[in-house]
Amino acid sequence: MDIPVRDFRTKAEQDLLDLYERAADALPGNASIAAMRQSAIRSYAGLGLPHRRVEAWKYTDLRGRIEDVPPLLAEADIQVGETELEAAFGKAVMALPAYRIVLAGGEFRGDLSDVGALREDGVELSSLAQMLESPPAWLAASLDDVAARGDDVVIALNTALMTAGVALRLPEGLTLQKPIHLIHLDAPGALGSMYTRNALVAEEGASASLLESFGTLGAQGTDAQDVQRNAVTTVSLGPKSAIHHVKLQREALETIHLNVWAAAIGAEARYNAFQLSMGAALSRNQVYVRFDGEGAATDISGATLARGSQHCDTTLVVEHNVPACESRELFKLVLNDNARGVFQGKIVVAPDAQKTDGKQMSQALLLSETAEFDSKPELEIYADDVVCGHGATSGQIDEDLLFYLRARGLPETEARALLIQAFVGEAFEALDDETIGEALSSVSADWLGTPVE
C-alpha cells in the first residue's frame, strides 16, 4: 500500500501506521471494507496527528500529548458483576431499566448483553465485526456517508482500525419503551488502544433513547491504566424519527478519550444529544450534525466537570443544509485546579437553508485561579432569512449567593456544591428522558461531594 510521504513524523504518528500494518490482515471485513480501511489510513498518513497550527485543534495539541501508541488491546476475559458496574458508573445509572449492550476491553460481549430482548422487541442487532463481513445496505450507507469527513483524523483512524462495536436498526414505526444502554468498559491496569465503531439507523417514525457509558472497572478516580480510546458512533434518522442520544464519560484519569458522534437528520426528525464528561486525562468530544430534511430539529447540550490537570475539549459542527430547521446548543463547564475546558461550536447555514433558527451558548464556572476556559463560537451563514446567535461566558461562584446560603446555616462545602449543581442543572434540563437525567445528576452530585486534592 502506498503511504503519502511527509517530511517529518513523530514517533506516535509512525506508531499508528505500524499499528495498522501489523493488524491489517486480521481486521474484520470483506474486500470493500478493506479498501475503505486503506483509503482511511492513507488519509491519516497525509494529515498526521493534529496540532495547534490546525485551526480546529488549536486548543488541543494531540501531536504534543500523544508520545507513544500502545498496541491494540488484546481480547480479555473481563469478569463483570453488578458491583463492579455500579462502581464504574454509579448506582443510579446502573439501576436504569434498559437494554444492556456491553463492549468490554474493546470487544462485544454477547453474554453480557440483552441481545435476545432487543431482537424480540423488533431491533435488528449484530456485532459490527460480524456485519462487516457482509454489510447490509443500511450499514454501508452509514459507514460511507454519515461519518464521511475527509479532514477528520480521529474518524480516519477509526475507520482504518475499527475492530468492534454494534450495529442497530430500528425498523419503521418502532418505539422502544426502554433506553438502550451501550456500556464501554476498560479493565484496570490495561495497556492498549481501542477502536470501536457503533452505528444506529432509525427508519421513518422510529424512536428510541441510546445511552453510551464509558468507564473503568475498579479504577474510577485513579491513574491505574494507560488506554487510548477512539470511539465513533453514527446515527441516521429517517423522516419523523426521534433519537435521544446520551453519553456518560467516567474513565480512569490516565485515559486518552477521543470520541465522535455523527448524525444525519431526515425531514421532521428530532435528534437530542447530551454529554456528561468527567473522566480521562485528555478527552476530545466531536459532534457533527447534518440536516438532510426540512422541518427537523436538534438540541445538543452537555456538562463538563474537570479538576486536577484534566483537559476536556468539546467541538461541535451543525450543518443546516435545508430550510426550516432548528438547532439549540448549551454547554456548561465546571473547572477546578489546573483543569482546562474547551468549547468550539460552529453553525453553518447553506445558501438554500432559509428559515433556519440556530442558537448556541457555552458557560464556564472557574473554581480556581489556575483553571482555564477556551471558547470559540462561530456562525457561518450564507442565507439571509435566518435567526442565529451565539454566546460564551465564564466566571466564578457568586460570593453574595454563597454568603446567603451560609447565613442560613449551610456549611461552605455544601453551599458551594449546591450552587455548582444549580449552574450545571440547566444543561441537564435539556434531557427529554427524565429518568436518565436524574441518574446523571446523581453522578454529577457524587463528583461535587468528592474533596478536591
Side-chain angles (χ1 to χ4, degrees):
M1 181 184 63
D2 295 329
I3 294 294
V5 176
R6 296 178 63 218
D7 293 337
F8 170 77
R9 284 196 178 98
T10 66
K11 180 181 181 300
E13 288 174 325
Q14 186 60 48
D15 284 349
L16 286 164
L17 291 174
D18 295 342
L19 191 67
Y20 173 78
E21 290 294 338
R22 290 193 300 270
D25 292 340
L27 292 171
N30 60 14
S32 65
I33 296 299
M36 183 186 298
R37 292 183 186 278
Q38 291 178 5
S39 176
I41 200 66
R42 283 194 294 267
S43 177
Y44 156 72
L47 294 168
L49 290 174
H51 47 80
R52 286 176 295 179
R53 292 190 298 277
V54 177
E55 182 64 22
W57 293 79
K58 65 182 296 184
Y59 302 115
T60 303
D61 187 350
L62 205 60
R63 180 186 290 179
R65 290 294 295 263
I66 299 180
E67 298 179 357
D68 297 287
V69 177
L72 289 175
L73 193 65
E75 185 174 353
D77 182 20
I78 299 176
Q79 301 301 313
V80 182
E82 204 64 26
T83 300
E84 290 81 7
L85 289 171
E86 289 178 356
F89 300 111
K91 290 184 178 181
V93 171
M94 297 315 302
L96 288 169
Y99 305 96
R100 290 186 186 178
I101 300 175
V102 178
L103 299 176
E107 297 293 330
F108 172 66
R109 291 285 297 272
D111 58 316
L112 300 174
S113 303
D114 296 325
V115 176
L118 274 166
R119 288 175 176 166
E120 287 176 5
D121 286 346
V123 178
E124 183 177 342
L125 162 68
S126 181
S127 73
L128 184 83
Q130 180 181 344
M131 276 200 174
L132 288 179
E133 299 301 331
S134 182
W138 60 268
L139 177 59
S142 178
L143 293 171
D144 288 339
D145 177 47
V146 180
R149 303 192 72 91
D151 60 345
D152 193 293
V153 172
V154 177
I155 294 177
L157 284 170
N158 186 277
T159 300
L161 289 160
M162 56 184 175
T163 57
V166 291
L168 306 109
R169 184 180 70 89
L170 308 179
E172 183 176 343
L174 176 67
T175 297
L176 289 182
Q177 301 302 319
K178 297 190 300 184
I180 299 169
H181 190 182
L182 182 52
I183 299 172
H184 301 256
L185 284 170
D186 305 335
L191 171 66
S193 302
M194 286 185 288
Y195 293 83
T196 55
R197 173 71 68 92
N198 304 297
L200 172 63
V201 173
E203 296 187 344
E204 184 171 357
S207 63
S209 295
L210 173 64
L211 167 62
E212 292 193 66
S213 295
F214 296 82
T216 302
L217 290 176
Q220 173 58 29
T222 77
D223 58 356
Q225 73 172 32
D226 186 7
V227 163
Q228 294 182 16
R229 179 189 294 282
N230 180 316
V232 174
T233 298
T234 61
V235 182
S236 302
L237 293 93
K240 299 181 180 179
S241 63
I243 293 296
H244 307 295
H245 198 179
V246 183
K247 174 185 173 185
L248 169 61
Q249 192 276 106
R250 204 169 180 242
E251 292 160 308
L253 296 180
E254 287 301 302
T255 303
I256 291 178
H257 177 98
L258 305 177
N259 179 244
V260 176
W261 284 358
I265 310 177
E268 299 181 52
R270 183 166 191 92
Y271 178 65
N272 283 5
F274 178 88
Q275 299 190 346
L276 175 58
S277 299
M278 302 171 62
L282 168 68
S283 59
R284 163 91 171 192
N285 304 304
Q286 301 181 158
V287 182
Y288 297 111
V289 174
R290 186 184 76 209
F291 287 104
D292 290 340
E294 295 185 27
T298 185
D299 193 311
I300 309 168
S301 55
T304 295
L305 308 177
R307 55 162 61 100
S309 58
Q310 287 180 282
H311 180 114
C312 182
D313 178 339
T314 298
T315 295
L316 171 70
V317 179
V318 178
E319 297 176 332
H320 286 265
N321 296 325
V322 294
C325 292
E326 177 184 289
S327 63
R328 295 287 185 271
E329 296 87 43
L330 174 64
F331 281 79
K332 300 271 192 169
L333 299 89
V334 179
L335 307 171
N336 204 351
D337 306 320
N338 296 311
R340 185 179 187 183
V342 178
F343 177 80
Q344 300 182 106
K346 177 186 285 190
I347 298 175
V348 182
V349 182
D352 294 333
Q354 304 294 347
K355 304 296 182 182
T356 287
D357 184 351
K359 294 182 176 60
Q360 177 190 116
M361 174 62 73
S362 61
Q363 298 175 318
L365 184 61
L366 306 179
L367 303 183
S368 72
E369 294 183 357
T370 51
E372 180 178 340
F373 172 53
D374 300 295
S375 180
K376 191 177 75 170
E378 297 179 82
L379 297 175
E380 196 171 303
I381 302 173
Y382 301 98
D384 52 15
D385 187 6
V386 303
V387 178
C388 291
H390 62 65
T393 65
S394 63
Q396 299 176 324
I397 287 180
D398 189 317
E399 293 296 329
D400 290 337
L401 289 177
L402 183 63
F403 176 80
Y404 176 86
L405 293 176
R406 294 189 65 191
R408 277 147 184 80
L410 283 179
E412 182 175 356
T413 302
E414 187 176 338
R416 285 182 177 274
L418 188 63
L419 291 174
I420 297 169
Q421 192 71 10
F423 171 77
V424 299
E426 187 180 356
F428 286 100
E429 290 173 3
L431 275 163
D432 280 356
D433 192 314
E434 185 176 335
T435 305
I436 294 178
E438 290 176 353
L440 295 188
S441 293
S442 174
V443 173
S444 68
D446 289 344
W447 186 91
L448 294 172
T450 303
V452 176
E453 298 178 356

